[in-house]
Amino acid sequence: MPLILAPLGKEVKIVRIVADDKTKKHLSNLGVLVEGRITVLSTSGGSALCRVKDGRLALDRNLAARIYVA
């Protein structure tokens, strides 16, 4: 399922990222990697506020829809 549809407050595993190489590299620098863990904290205002490792990250709706989790 896309990250934007993930349940709030539940840690999920990233299984696929559908983006160009530049975007994937940028996400990996932020800690968003395939097989990594991410928690959606909020999805208000058209973006997704997520917890990645010890930090928080805001992703726009289009990018969050391209990150698939299980």
Side-chain angles (χ1 to χ4, degrees):
M1 89 181 97
L3 180 64
I4 200 75
L5 299 177
L8 298 179
K10 182 178 178 191
E11 186 177 69
V12 292
K13 183 170 92 171
I14 300 170
V15 294
R16 189 171 76 169
I17 300 173
V18 180
D20 60 19
D21 289 336
K22 182 180 176 183
T23 303
K24 285 182 182 179
K25 183 171 174 81
H26 179 66
L27 288 172
S28 71
N29 289 337
L30 296 171
V32 179
L33 302 164
V34 174
E35 299 294 321
R37 298 284 182 174
I38 192 167
T39 305
V40 179
L41 302 174
S42 171
T43 56
S44 63
S47 62
L49 179 64
C50 305
R51 181 173 46 233
V52 179
K53 297 183 181 179
D54 292 332
R56 289 184 180 189
L57 179 65
L59 300 171
D60 74 348
R61 187 171 192 81
N62 293 332
L63 186 54
R66 295 177 173 203
I67 299 172
Y68 289 86
V69 296

Short mmCIF file of all heavy atoms in Angstrom, two decimals:
data_model
loop_
_atom_site.label_atom_id
_atom_site.label_comp_id
_atom_site.label_asym_id
_atom_site.label_seq_id
_atom_site.Cartn_x
_atom_site.Cartn_y
_atom_site.Cartn_z
N MET A 1 0.84 -1.18 0.00
CA MET A 1 0.00 0.00 0.00
C MET A 1 0.88 1.24 0.00
O MET A 1 1.98 1.20 0.55
CB MET A 1 -0.94 -0.03 1.21
CG MET A 1 -0.38 0.61 2.47
SD MET A 1 -1.46 0.56 3.87
CE MET A 1 -0.78 -0.88 4.67
N PRO A 2 0.42 2.31 -0.59
CA PRO A 2 1.19 3.56 -0.56
C PRO A 2 1.30 4.11 0.86
O PRO A 2 0.40 3.92 1.68
CB PRO A 2 0.38 4.50 -1.44
CG PRO A 2 -0.52 3.64 -2.24
CD PRO A 2 -0.76 2.42 -1.42
N LEU A 3 2.37 4.79 1.14
CA LEU A 3 2.61 5.36 2.47
C LEU A 3 1.48 6.29 2.90
O LEU A 3 1.11 6.32 4.06
CB LEU A 3 3.94 6.12 2.47
CG LEU A 3 4.35 6.77 3.78
CD1 LEU A 3 4.57 5.72 4.86
CD2 LEU A 3 5.59 7.60 3.59
N ILE A 4 0.90 7.00 1.96
CA ILE A 4 -0.15 7.97 2.28
C ILE A 4 -1.38 7.27 2.88
O ILE A 4 -2.17 7.89 3.58
CB ILE A 4 -0.51 8.82 1.03
CG1 ILE A 4 -1.20 10.10 1.42
CG2 ILE A 4 -1.31 8.04 0.04
CD1 ILE A 4 -0.30 11.13 2.00
N LEU A 5 -1.54 5.95 2.63
CA LEU A 5 -2.68 5.19 3.14
C LEU A 5 -2.34 4.36 4.38
O LEU A 5 -3.20 3.66 4.90
CB LEU A 5 -3.23 4.26 2.05
CG LEU A 5 -3.75 4.94 0.79
CD1 LEU A 5 -4.19 3.90 -0.22
CD2 LEU A 5 -4.88 5.89 1.12
N ALA A 6 -1.09 4.43 4.83
CA ALA A 6 -0.67 3.65 6.00
C ALA A 6 -1.38 4.14 7.25
O ALA A 6 -1.71 5.32 7.38
CB ALA A 6 0.84 3.77 6.18
N PRO A 7 -1.65 3.23 8.18
CA PRO A 7 -2.32 3.63 9.43
C PRO A 7 -1.43 4.57 10.25
O PRO A 7 -0.22 4.40 10.31
CB PRO A 7 -2.54 2.31 10.16
CG PRO A 7 -1.63 1.33 9.52
CD PRO A 7 -1.36 1.81 8.13
N LEU A 8 -2.06 5.55 10.87
CA LEU A 8 -1.33 6.52 11.68
C LEU A 8 -0.76 5.86 12.92
O LEU A 8 -1.43 5.06 13.58
CB LEU A 8 -2.24 7.68 12.08
CG LEU A 8 -2.82 8.52 10.94
CD1 LEU A 8 -3.72 9.60 11.51
CD2 LEU A 8 -1.72 9.14 10.11
N GLY A 9 0.46 6.21 13.26
CA GLY A 9 1.08 5.75 14.49
C GLY A 9 1.61 4.34 14.47
O GLY A 9 2.17 3.87 15.44
N LYS A 10 1.48 3.63 13.35
CA LYS A 10 1.96 2.25 13.27
C LYS A 10 3.23 2.21 12.42
O LYS A 10 3.26 2.72 11.31
CB LYS A 10 0.90 1.36 12.65
CG LYS A 10 1.32 -0.08 12.58
CD LYS A 10 0.23 -0.95 12.00
CE LYS A 10 0.72 -2.38 11.90
NZ LYS A 10 -0.19 -3.20 11.11
N GLU A 11 4.27 1.60 12.95
CA GLU A 11 5.52 1.48 12.21
C GLU A 11 5.34 0.45 11.10
O GLU A 11 4.84 -0.65 11.32
CB GLU A 11 6.66 1.06 13.14
CG GLU A 11 8.01 1.05 12.46
CD GLU A 11 9.12 0.71 13.41
OE1 GLU A 11 9.18 -0.44 13.86
OE2 GLU A 11 9.94 1.61 13.70
N VAL A 12 5.74 0.82 9.89
CA VAL A 12 5.62 -0.06 8.73
C VAL A 12 6.97 -0.17 8.04
O VAL A 12 7.85 0.66 8.23
CB VAL A 12 4.55 0.45 7.73
CG1 VAL A 12 3.15 0.33 8.33
CG2 VAL A 12 4.82 1.88 7.32
N LYS A 13 7.12 -1.21 7.23
CA LYS A 13 8.37 -1.45 6.50
C LYS A 13 8.22 -0.97 5.07
O LYS A 13 7.23 -1.24 4.41
CB LYS A 13 8.71 -2.94 6.52
CG LYS A 13 10.02 -3.27 5.86
CD LYS A 13 10.42 -4.70 6.12
CE LYS A 13 9.90 -5.57 5.00
NZ LYS A 13 10.44 -6.93 5.07
N ILE A 14 9.22 -0.25 4.57
CA ILE A 14 9.23 0.22 3.19
C ILE A 14 9.62 -0.96 2.30
O ILE A 14 10.66 -1.58 2.52
CB ILE A 14 10.21 1.39 3.02
CG1 ILE A 14 9.83 2.56 3.92
CG2 ILE A 14 10.27 1.82 1.55
CD1 ILE A 14 10.86 3.66 3.99
N VAL A 15 8.76 -1.26 1.31
CA VAL A 15 9.04 -2.39 0.42
C VAL A 15 9.44 -1.95 -0.99
O VAL A 15 10.07 -2.72 -1.71
CB VAL A 15 7.83 -3.36 0.36
CG1 VAL A 15 7.61 -4.02 1.69
CG2 VAL A 15 6.58 -2.66 -0.11
N ARG A 16 9.05 -0.73 -1.40
CA ARG A 16 9.40 -0.27 -2.74
C ARG A 16 9.28 1.25 -2.81
O ARG A 16 8.40 1.83 -2.21
CB ARG A 16 8.45 -0.91 -3.75
CG ARG A 16 8.87 -0.67 -5.19
CD ARG A 16 8.04 -1.48 -6.13
NE ARG A 16 6.72 -0.86 -6.25
CZ ARG A 16 5.82 -1.18 -7.14
NH1 ARG A 16 6.04 -2.15 -7.98
NH2 ARG A 16 4.68 -0.56 -7.20
N ILE A 17 10.18 1.86 -3.57
CA ILE A 17 10.12 3.29 -3.82
C ILE A 17 10.12 3.48 -5.34
O ILE A 17 11.06 3.06 -6.02
CB ILE A 17 11.31 4.03 -3.20
CG1 ILE A 17 11.32 3.84 -1.68
CG2 ILE A 17 11.27 5.51 -3.56
CD1 ILE A 17 12.55 4.39 -0.98
N VAL A 18 9.04 4.08 -5.86
CA VAL A 18 8.91 4.30 -7.30
C VAL A 18 9.24 5.76 -7.58
O VAL A 18 8.40 6.64 -7.43
CB VAL A 18 7.47 3.97 -7.77
CG1 VAL A 18 7.33 4.21 -9.26
CG2 VAL A 18 7.09 2.55 -7.39
N ALA A 19 10.49 6.00 -7.96
CA ALA A 19 10.96 7.36 -8.23
C ALA A 19 12.22 7.28 -9.07
O ALA A 19 12.80 6.20 -9.23
CB ALA A 19 11.23 8.09 -6.92
N ASP A 20 12.65 8.42 -9.58
CA ASP A 20 13.89 8.43 -10.36
C ASP A 20 15.08 8.29 -9.40
O ASP A 20 14.95 8.39 -8.19
CB ASP A 20 13.99 9.69 -11.21
CG ASP A 20 13.97 10.98 -10.40
OD1 ASP A 20 14.24 10.93 -9.18
OD2 ASP A 20 13.70 12.04 -10.97
N ASP A 21 16.24 8.03 -9.98
CA ASP A 21 17.44 7.78 -9.18
C ASP A 21 17.82 8.96 -8.29
O ASP A 21 18.25 8.77 -7.15
CB ASP A 21 18.62 7.41 -10.08
CG ASP A 21 18.46 6.04 -10.70
OD1 ASP A 21 17.73 5.20 -10.13
OD2 ASP A 21 19.06 5.80 -11.76
N LYS A 22 17.65 10.17 -8.79
CA LYS A 22 17.99 11.36 -8.01
C LYS A 22 17.11 11.44 -6.75
O LYS A 22 17.60 11.71 -5.65
CB LYS A 22 17.81 12.61 -8.87
CG LYS A 22 18.19 13.89 -8.18
CD LYS A 22 17.99 15.08 -9.11
CE LYS A 22 18.28 16.38 -8.38
NZ LYS A 22 18.04 17.54 -9.23
N THR A 23 15.82 11.19 -6.90
CA THR A 23 14.90 11.24 -5.77
C THR A 23 15.19 10.11 -4.79
O THR A 23 15.17 10.32 -3.57
CB THR A 23 13.44 11.17 -6.26
OG1 THR A 23 13.21 12.25 -7.18
CG2 THR A 23 12.46 11.28 -5.10
N LYS A 24 15.47 8.92 -5.29
CA LYS A 24 15.80 7.79 -4.42
C LYS A 24 17.06 8.09 -3.60
O LYS A 24 17.12 7.78 -2.41
CB LYS A 24 16.01 6.53 -5.24
CG LYS A 24 14.74 5.91 -5.75
CD LYS A 24 15.05 4.64 -6.52
CE LYS A 24 13.81 4.02 -7.09
NZ LYS A 24 14.10 2.80 -7.85
N LYS A 25 18.05 8.69 -4.25
CA LYS A 25 19.28 9.03 -3.52
C LYS A 25 19.01 10.07 -2.44
O LYS A 25 19.50 9.96 -1.32
CB LYS A 25 20.34 9.54 -4.50
CG LYS A 25 21.66 9.85 -3.83
CD LYS A 25 22.74 10.15 -4.85
CE LYS A 25 24.01 10.60 -4.20
NZ LYS A 25 24.83 9.55 -3.68
N HIS A 26 18.19 11.06 -2.76
CA HIS A 26 17.84 12.08 -1.78
C HIS A 26 17.10 11.45 -0.60
O HIS A 26 17.41 11.75 0.57
CB HIS A 26 16.99 13.17 -2.43
CG HIS A 26 16.56 14.25 -1.51
ND1 HIS A 26 17.46 15.13 -0.93
CD2 HIS A 26 15.34 14.59 -1.02
CE1 HIS A 26 16.81 15.96 -0.14
NE2 HIS A 26 15.51 15.65 -0.18
N LEU A 27 16.15 10.58 -0.88
CA LEU A 27 15.41 9.91 0.18
C LEU A 27 16.33 9.03 1.03
O LEU A 27 16.20 8.98 2.25
CB LEU A 27 14.26 9.07 -0.40
CG LEU A 27 13.08 9.86 -0.95
CD1 LEU A 27 12.11 8.92 -1.66
CD2 LEU A 27 12.37 10.62 0.16
N SER A 28 17.27 8.35 0.39
CA SER A 28 18.19 7.51 1.15
C SER A 28 19.07 8.34 2.08
O SER A 28 19.39 7.92 3.19
CB SER A 28 19.04 6.64 0.23
OG SER A 28 19.99 7.40 -0.45
N ASN A 29 19.45 9.54 1.64
CA ASN A 29 20.22 10.44 2.51
C ASN A 29 19.41 10.88 3.72
O ASN A 29 19.98 11.22 4.76
CB ASN A 29 20.69 11.66 1.72
CG ASN A 29 21.77 11.34 0.73
OD1 ASN A 29 22.48 10.36 0.87
ND2 ASN A 29 21.90 12.15 -0.30
N LEU A 30 18.08 10.88 3.58
CA LEU A 30 17.19 11.26 4.68
C LEU A 30 16.82 10.05 5.55
O LEU A 30 16.12 10.20 6.55
CB LEU A 30 15.91 11.91 4.13
CG LEU A 30 16.11 13.23 3.40
CD1 LEU A 30 14.81 13.65 2.73
CD2 LEU A 30 16.61 14.31 4.34
N GLY A 31 17.25 8.85 5.16
CA GLY A 31 16.96 7.66 5.94
C GLY A 31 15.78 6.86 5.44
O GLY A 31 15.37 5.90 6.08
N VAL A 32 15.21 7.25 4.31
CA VAL A 32 14.07 6.52 3.74
C VAL A 32 14.63 5.53 2.72
O VAL A 32 14.96 5.89 1.60
CB VAL A 32 13.06 7.49 3.07
CG1 VAL A 32 11.91 6.72 2.47
CG2 VAL A 32 12.57 8.51 4.07
N LEU A 33 14.74 4.26 3.14
CA LEU A 33 15.34 3.22 2.33
C LEU A 33 14.41 2.02 2.24
O LEU A 33 13.63 1.76 3.16
CB LEU A 33 16.65 2.74 2.96
CG LEU A 33 17.73 3.77 3.18
CD1 LEU A 33 18.77 3.22 4.15
CD2 LEU A 33 18.38 4.11 1.88
N VAL A 34 14.52 1.26 1.15
CA VAL A 34 13.81 -0.01 1.05
C VAL A 34 14.30 -0.91 2.19
O VAL A 34 15.49 -0.94 2.48
CB VAL A 34 14.04 -0.66 -0.33
CG1 VAL A 34 13.43 -2.05 -0.39
CG2 VAL A 34 13.46 0.22 -1.42
N GLU A 35 13.39 -1.61 2.82
CA GLU A 35 13.64 -2.44 4.01
C GLU A 35 13.74 -1.61 5.29
O GLU A 35 13.90 -2.16 6.37
CB GLU A 35 14.88 -3.34 3.86
CG GLU A 35 14.79 -4.33 2.72
CD GLU A 35 13.72 -5.38 2.91
OE1 GLU A 35 13.54 -5.85 4.04
OE2 GLU A 35 13.06 -5.71 1.91
N GLY A 36 13.67 -0.29 5.19
CA GLY A 36 13.71 0.57 6.36
C GLY A 36 12.34 0.67 7.02
O GLY A 36 11.33 0.22 6.48
N ARG A 37 12.29 1.26 8.18
CA ARG A 37 11.05 1.43 8.94
C ARG A 37 10.65 2.89 8.95
O ARG A 37 11.50 3.78 9.03
CB ARG A 37 11.23 0.95 10.38
CG ARG A 37 11.57 -0.52 10.49
CD ARG A 37 10.34 -1.31 10.26
NE ARG A 37 10.62 -2.74 10.40
CZ ARG A 37 9.68 -3.65 10.36
NH1 ARG A 37 8.43 -3.29 10.18
NH2 ARG A 37 9.98 -4.92 10.47
N ILE A 38 9.33 3.14 8.89
CA ILE A 38 8.80 4.50 8.88
C ILE A 38 7.45 4.49 9.58
O ILE A 38 6.72 3.50 9.51
CB ILE A 38 8.70 5.04 7.43
CG1 ILE A 38 8.43 6.53 7.40
CG2 ILE A 38 7.69 4.26 6.63
CD1 ILE A 38 8.64 7.16 6.03
N THR A 39 7.12 5.57 10.27
CA THR A 39 5.85 5.70 10.96
C THR A 39 5.17 6.98 10.51
O THR A 39 5.78 8.05 10.57
CB THR A 39 6.07 5.78 12.50
OG1 THR A 39 6.81 4.64 12.92
CG2 THR A 39 4.73 5.83 13.24
N VAL A 40 3.93 6.87 10.05
CA VAL A 40 3.16 8.06 9.64
C VAL A 40 2.54 8.66 10.89
O VAL A 40 1.79 8.00 11.61
CB VAL A 40 2.07 7.70 8.61
CG1 VAL A 40 1.28 8.94 8.24
CG2 VAL A 40 2.69 7.08 7.37
N LEU A 41 2.86 9.91 11.17
CA LEU A 41 2.34 10.60 12.35
C LEU A 41 1.08 11.39 12.03
O LEU A 41 0.19 11.52 12.86
CB LEU A 41 3.40 11.52 12.93
CG LEU A 41 4.72 10.85 13.33
CD1 LEU A 41 5.74 11.89 13.75
CD2 LEU A 41 4.48 9.84 14.44
N SER A 42 1.01 11.95 10.81
CA SER A 42 -0.12 12.80 10.43
C SER A 42 -0.18 12.88 8.91
O SER A 42 0.84 12.83 8.23
CB SER A 42 0.06 14.19 11.01
OG SER A 42 -0.90 15.08 10.50
N THR A 43 -1.40 13.03 8.37
CA THR A 43 -1.56 13.19 6.92
C THR A 43 -2.44 14.40 6.61
O THR A 43 -3.18 14.40 5.66
CB THR A 43 -2.18 11.93 6.28
OG1 THR A 43 -3.41 11.65 6.92
CG2 THR A 43 -1.25 10.75 6.35
N SER A 44 -2.37 15.41 7.40
CA SER A 44 -3.20 16.59 7.17
C SER A 44 -2.52 17.58 6.23
O SER A 44 -1.30 17.60 6.10
CB SER A 44 -3.51 17.28 8.50
OG SER A 44 -2.32 17.75 9.08
N GLY A 45 -3.31 18.38 5.55
CA GLY A 45 -2.78 19.44 4.72
C GLY A 45 -2.15 18.97 3.42
O GLY A 45 -1.36 19.69 2.83
N GLY A 46 -2.44 17.76 2.97
CA GLY A 46 -1.90 17.28 1.71
C GLY A 46 -0.50 16.72 1.79
O GLY A 46 0.09 16.37 0.79
N SER A 47 0.06 16.64 2.97
CA SER A 47 1.39 16.05 3.12
C SER A 47 1.36 15.01 4.24
O SER A 47 0.40 14.93 5.00
CB SER A 47 2.43 17.13 3.44
OG SER A 47 2.13 17.75 4.65
N ALA A 48 2.41 14.23 4.31
CA ALA A 48 2.51 13.20 5.35
C ALA A 48 3.69 13.53 6.26
O ALA A 48 4.82 13.68 5.79
CB ALA A 48 2.69 11.83 4.72
N LEU A 49 3.42 13.66 7.53
CA LEU A 49 4.47 13.87 8.52
C LEU A 49 4.85 12.49 9.05
O LEU A 49 3.99 11.76 9.56
CB LEU A 49 4.00 14.77 9.66
CG LEU A 49 5.00 15.05 10.76
CD1 LEU A 49 6.19 15.81 10.21
CD2 LEU A 49 4.35 15.82 11.89
N CYS A 50 6.13 12.13 8.90
CA CYS A 50 6.58 10.78 9.24
C CYS A 50 7.74 10.82 10.21
O CYS A 50 8.50 11.78 10.24
CB CYS A 50 7.03 10.06 7.97
SG CYS A 50 5.80 9.99 6.69
N ARG A 51 7.86 9.73 10.97
CA ARG A 51 9.03 9.56 11.83
C ARG A 51 9.94 8.54 11.16
O ARG A 51 9.52 7.42 10.86
CB ARG A 51 8.64 9.08 13.22
CG ARG A 51 9.85 8.93 14.13
CD ARG A 51 9.53 8.61 15.58
NE ARG A 51 8.54 7.56 15.72
CZ ARG A 51 7.43 7.69 16.44
NH1 ARG A 51 7.16 8.79 17.06
NH2 ARG A 51 6.58 6.68 16.53
N VAL A 52 11.18 8.95 10.92
CA VAL A 52 12.19 8.08 10.33
C VAL A 52 13.36 8.07 11.29
O VAL A 52 13.95 9.11 11.56
CB VAL A 52 12.64 8.59 8.95
CG1 VAL A 52 13.70 7.69 8.36
CG2 VAL A 52 11.46 8.72 8.01
N LYS A 53 13.67 6.91 11.82
CA LYS A 53 14.72 6.76 12.83
C LYS A 53 14.42 7.71 13.99
O LYS A 53 13.39 7.60 14.62
CB LYS A 53 16.09 6.97 12.22
CG LYS A 53 16.43 5.93 11.17
CD LYS A 53 17.81 6.11 10.64
CE LYS A 53 18.06 5.05 9.57
NZ LYS A 53 19.36 5.14 9.00
N ASP A 54 15.28 8.69 14.27
CA ASP A 54 15.06 9.60 15.40
C ASP A 54 14.53 10.96 14.98
O ASP A 54 14.40 11.85 15.82
CB ASP A 54 16.37 9.79 16.17
CG ASP A 54 16.82 8.54 16.89
OD1 ASP A 54 15.94 7.73 17.23
OD2 ASP A 54 18.04 8.36 17.07
N GLY A 55 14.23 11.13 13.70
CA GLY A 55 13.79 12.44 13.22
C GLY A 55 12.41 12.41 12.60
O GLY A 55 11.79 11.36 12.46
N ARG A 56 11.93 13.59 12.26
CA ARG A 56 10.65 13.73 11.59
C ARG A 56 10.89 14.28 10.19
O ARG A 56 11.81 15.06 9.97
CB ARG A 56 9.75 14.69 12.35
CG ARG A 56 9.27 14.11 13.65
CD ARG A 56 8.30 15.04 14.31
NE ARG A 56 7.86 14.44 15.57
CZ ARG A 56 6.89 14.94 16.30
NH1 ARG A 56 6.28 16.04 15.91
NH2 ARG A 56 6.53 14.35 17.39
N LEU A 57 10.02 13.86 9.28
CA LEU A 57 10.17 14.22 7.87
C LEU A 57 8.80 14.48 7.29
O LEU A 57 7.88 13.70 7.49
CB LEU A 57 10.84 13.05 7.15
CG LEU A 57 11.09 13.16 5.66
CD1 LEU A 57 12.09 14.28 5.38
CD2 LEU A 57 11.64 11.84 5.14
N ALA A 58 8.65 15.60 6.58
CA ALA A 58 7.39 15.92 5.90
C ALA A 58 7.56 15.59 4.42
O ALA A 58 8.48 16.06 3.77
CB ALA A 58 7.04 17.38 6.09
N LEU A 59 6.66 14.75 3.91
CA LEU A 59 6.68 14.37 2.50
C LEU A 59 5.41 14.87 1.84
O LEU A 59 4.32 14.74 2.41
CB LEU A 59 6.72 12.84 2.37
CG LEU A 59 7.92 12.13 3.00
CD1 LEU A 59 7.71 10.63 2.98
CD2 LEU A 59 9.19 12.50 2.26
N ASP A 60 5.53 15.43 0.63
CA ASP A 60 4.32 15.87 -0.06
C ASP A 60 3.52 14.64 -0.50
O ASP A 60 4.03 13.52 -0.55
CB ASP A 60 4.63 16.81 -1.21
CG ASP A 60 5.22 16.15 -2.43
OD1 ASP A 60 5.61 14.97 -2.35
OD2 ASP A 60 5.29 16.81 -3.47
N ARG A 61 2.25 14.86 -0.78
CA ARG A 61 1.33 13.77 -1.08
C ARG A 61 1.79 12.93 -2.28
O ARG A 61 1.68 11.71 -2.27
CB ARG A 61 -0.07 14.33 -1.32
CG ARG A 61 -1.13 13.31 -1.49
CD ARG A 61 -2.52 13.99 -1.49
NE ARG A 61 -3.57 13.02 -1.37
CZ ARG A 61 -3.99 12.47 -0.26
NH1 ARG A 61 -3.42 12.80 0.88
NH2 ARG A 61 -4.97 11.61 -0.25
N ASN A 62 2.30 13.59 -3.33
CA ASN A 62 2.76 12.86 -4.52
C ASN A 62 3.92 11.92 -4.21
O ASN A 62 3.94 10.80 -4.69
CB ASN A 62 3.16 13.85 -5.61
CG ASN A 62 1.99 14.63 -6.14
OD1 ASN A 62 0.86 14.16 -6.12
ND2 ASN A 62 2.25 15.85 -6.60
N LEU A 63 4.86 12.38 -3.44
CA LEU A 63 6.01 11.54 -3.10
C LEU A 63 5.59 10.42 -2.16
O LEU A 63 6.02 9.27 -2.30
CB LEU A 63 7.13 12.38 -2.49
CG LEU A 63 8.44 11.65 -2.23
CD1 LEU A 63 8.96 10.97 -3.50
CD2 LEU A 63 9.47 12.61 -1.69
N ALA A 64 4.74 10.71 -1.18
CA ALA A 64 4.29 9.69 -0.25
C ALA A 64 3.50 8.60 -0.95
O ALA A 64 3.51 7.44 -0.54
CB ALA A 64 3.45 10.33 0.85
N ALA A 65 2.83 8.94 -2.05
CA ALA A 65 2.08 7.94 -2.82
C ALA A 65 3.01 7.03 -3.60
O ALA A 65 2.59 5.96 -4.06
CB ALA A 65 1.10 8.65 -3.75
N ARG A 66 4.26 7.40 -3.77
CA ARG A 66 5.23 6.58 -4.52
C ARG A 66 6.08 5.69 -3.62
O ARG A 66 6.92 4.95 -4.11
CB ARG A 66 6.15 7.49 -5.33
CG ARG A 66 5.40 8.22 -6.41
CD ARG A 66 6.34 9.13 -7.12
NE ARG A 66 5.69 9.75 -8.27
CZ ARG A 66 6.34 10.22 -9.29
NH1 ARG A 66 7.65 10.17 -9.31
NH2 ARG A 66 5.68 10.75 -10.29
N ILE A 67 5.89 5.80 -2.32
CA ILE A 67 6.61 4.96 -1.36
C ILE A 67 5.63 3.89 -0.89
O ILE A 67 4.60 4.20 -0.29
CB ILE A 67 7.12 5.79 -0.17
CG1 ILE A 67 8.09 6.86 -0.68
CG2 ILE A 67 7.79 4.88 0.86
CD1 ILE A 67 8.51 7.86 0.39
N TYR A 68 5.95 2.63 -1.18
CA TYR A 68 5.07 1.52 -0.83
C TYR A 68 5.56 0.83 0.43
O TYR A 68 6.76 0.58 0.59
CB TYR A 68 4.97 0.54 -2.00
CG TYR A 68 4.20 1.12 -3.16
CD1 TYR A 68 4.83 1.91 -4.10
CD2 TYR A 68 2.84 0.90 -3.28
CE1 TYR A 68 4.12 2.46 -5.16
CE2 TYR A 68 2.12 1.44 -4.33
CZ TYR A 68 2.77 2.22 -5.26
OH TYR A 68 2.05 2.77 -6.30
N VAL A 69 4.62 0.52 1.30
CA VAL A 69 4.94 -0.07 2.59
C VAL A 69 4.09 -1.31 2.83
O VAL A 69 3.08 -1.54 2.18
CB VAL A 69 4.71 0.95 3.74
CG1 VAL A 69 5.62 2.14 3.61
CG2 VAL A 69 3.27 1.39 3.81
N ALA A 70 4.53 -2.10 3.79
CA ALA A 70 3.77 -3.29 4.20
C ALA A 70 3.71 -3.35 5.71
O ALA A 70 4.51 -2.81 6.40
CB ALA A 70 4.45 -4.55 3.67
#
